[in-house]
Amino acid sequence: MNLVIGLLIIAVGAFCQSSSYVPINKIKSWSWESYWLVQGVFAWLVFPFIGAWLSVSGIGSFGDLLAQMQADAKSTWLTILFGALWGVGGLTFGLSMRYLGVALGQSIALGTCSALGAILGPVFTGHAADLTSAVIIGVVVTLVGIAIIGVAGAMKSAALPEEEKKKAVKDFNFGKGIFVALLAGFMSACFNIGLSFGQGLFLEGTKPIFQTLPATMLVTFGGFLTNACYCLYQNNKNKTFGDYRQGSLWGNNILFCGLAGLLWYSQFFGLSLGKGFLTDYPVLITFSWCILMSLNVVFSNVWGIILKEWKGVSSKTVAVLVCGIVVLIISTFLPQII
């Protein structure tokens, strides 16, 4: 029963993350760099802090947690460092949505992130023995599923006239989008590496379902620093600091930036809770990053269909897309049954 609950919680978090770009469409009259920074305050600072604070509730104070992090400074700073590197992936991840749309952009970026994150996390932290044959097979099947979805995206790109592509995704650019999405996936894998370095940064007595939340806060803090520097640079370059002075828009835009940030953070809150129910399944603990990313891809393509990004494609293209989604769903539990 714990297995089902754990996977279900991770799935709910993945659905929330895949929905996080929908509220952004409701933001009015702000440039990309302005709304990206503001939603980042919620996604990478506010909600991760709340999660970390929740992890110490009843067993100590937030100051105790900071003292533990200071005592293990090496792990703390490595976690923040890889968070900063992940921040580069976060920046280009947003651009992959811009050029490829929600479905294809997330599929390629998250696919690369999924495989590299699952493998490099244990390798960088000296736990390569955790990469059993079942985990490797699961990663390979995940990549196969994402490759199939990538084929569907290429079929879509080849078949639709330019004006139809622009209707679905305003700034559609397949070549530029593929490059950015691969870069985003490579750098985004640093998130799981950061989590691996910070896996021991929690207070004694912390419930298993909350143990990765302090490390998540450090990773997202590092990512926020990278994103904030870039966004403020773009504000200066594009002369868009005026966005923040549009008082009449703050109510609407803060609401939807906050909602986007909450939905985005839910994936890692759900990952922490889900892993707490998978303690009897060490293979799935190691594979949990891949599970989250696979489900993110599944739900992002569901949103892509809802948002009509696949409108007008052939039934053959749809069949290839559905085939890729099915393979990804199978990959989430495959390592446990091998």
Side-chain angles (χ1 to χ4, degrees):
M1 188 62 181
N2 281 351
L3 172 63
V4 175
I5 294 174
L7 292 177
L8 182 60
I9 291 174
I10 294 174
V12 171
F15 176 76
C16 289
Q17 187 280 335
S18 300
S19 307
S20 65
Y21 291 90
V22 178
I24 285 177
N25 292 327
K26 300 294 184 179
I27 296 172
K28 299 178 180 179
S29 304
W30 276 5
S31 61
W32 177 87
E33 55 269 19
S34 297
Y35 73 68
W36 192 252
L37 177 59
V38 175
Q39 71 82 33
V41 170
F42 290 99
W44 307 321
L45 292 183
V46 175
F47 292 116
F49 169 80
I50 293 173
W53 172 80
L54 181 62
S55 76
V56 302
S57 180
I59 61 172
S61 68
F62 193 76
D64 294 331
L65 178 61
L66 293 180
Q68 164 128 0
M69 292 176 175
Q70 185 177 12
D72 191 356
K74 180 179 179 181
S75 295
T76 297
W77 285 110
L78 282 172
T79 303
I80 294 174
L81 171 62
F82 278 97
L85 294 174
W86 159 77
V88 177
L91 283 169
T92 47
F93 191 83
L95 291 175
S96 70
M97 308 299 111
R98 178 179 177 180
Y99 295 130
L100 295 177
V102 173
L104 186 56
Q106 286 206 61
S107 296
I108 296 174
L110 291 177
T112 309
C113 174
S114 173
L116 291 178
I119 292 173
L120 294 181
V123 169
F124 272 62
T125 54
H127 295 90
D130 292 342
L131 296 173
T132 63
S133 58
V135 172
I136 297 298
I137 291 173
V139 171
V140 171
V141 173
T142 298
L143 287 176
V144 169
I146 289 170
I148 293 173
I149 291 176
V151 169
M155 293 169 67
K156 168 191 172 184
S157 177
L160 289 180
E162 197 64 29
E163 58 270 20
E164 288 298 319
K165 297 176 187 176
K166 296 295 183 181
K167 284 182 183 179
V169 183
K170 182 180 178 181
D171 297 319
F172 185 86
N173 187 313
F174 187 72
K176 184 183 292 186
I178 290 293
F179 172 78
V180 170
L182 289 174
L183 176 62
F186 181 80
M187 298 304 292
S188 294
C190 292
F191 197 110
N192 196 45
I193 299 172
L195 288 182
S196 298
F197 276 113
Q199 61 186 345
L201 298 175
F202 56 85
L203 293 185
E204 185 177 353
T206 301
K207 296 178 181 179
I209 59 175
F210 296 144
Q211 288 180 356
T212 67
L213 295 180
T216 300
M217 179 189 69
L218 293 177
V219 174
T220 57
F221 173 70
F224 175 78
L225 295 177
T226 306
N227 279 262
C229 289
Y230 181 78
C231 289
L232 292 173
Y233 165 76
Q234 288 296 318
N235 280 141
N236 182 63
K237 176 183 176 183
N238 299 327
K239 303 184 186 306
T240 53
F241 278 113
D243 290 345
Y244 307 118
R245 296 194 292 269
Q246 299 179 47
S248 61
L249 298 177
W250 268 95
N252 176 85
N253 291 359
I254 285 291
L255 172 64
F256 288 109
C257 281
L259 179 56
L262 175 61
L263 290 171
W264 183 91
Y265 175 68
S266 294
Q267 65 180 312
F268 295 111
F269 190 80
L271 179 64
S272 184
L273 267 61
K275 289 171 70 173
F277 284 92
L278 298 177
T279 52
D280 294 331
Y281 307 94
V283 170
L284 289 185
I285 289 287
T286 304
F287 191 63
S288 59
W289 176 260
C290 229
I291 293 173
L292 175 64
M293 294 301 111
S294 297
L295 292 174
N296 281 345
V297 172
V298 169
F299 290 125
S300 68
N301 279 282
V302 171
W303 272 115
I305 293 171
I306 293 173
L307 296 175
K308 299 181 180 180
E309 292 180 0
W310 295 91
K311 183 179 179 181
V313 301
S314 67
S315 57
K316 182 178 179 180
T317 300
V318 173
V320 173
L321 173 65
V322 171
C323 179
I325 290 174
V326 170
V327 171
L328 284 179
I329 292 174
I330 292 173
S331 75
T332 61
F333 57 82
L334 183 62
Q336 188 57 36
I337 63 178
I338 294 177

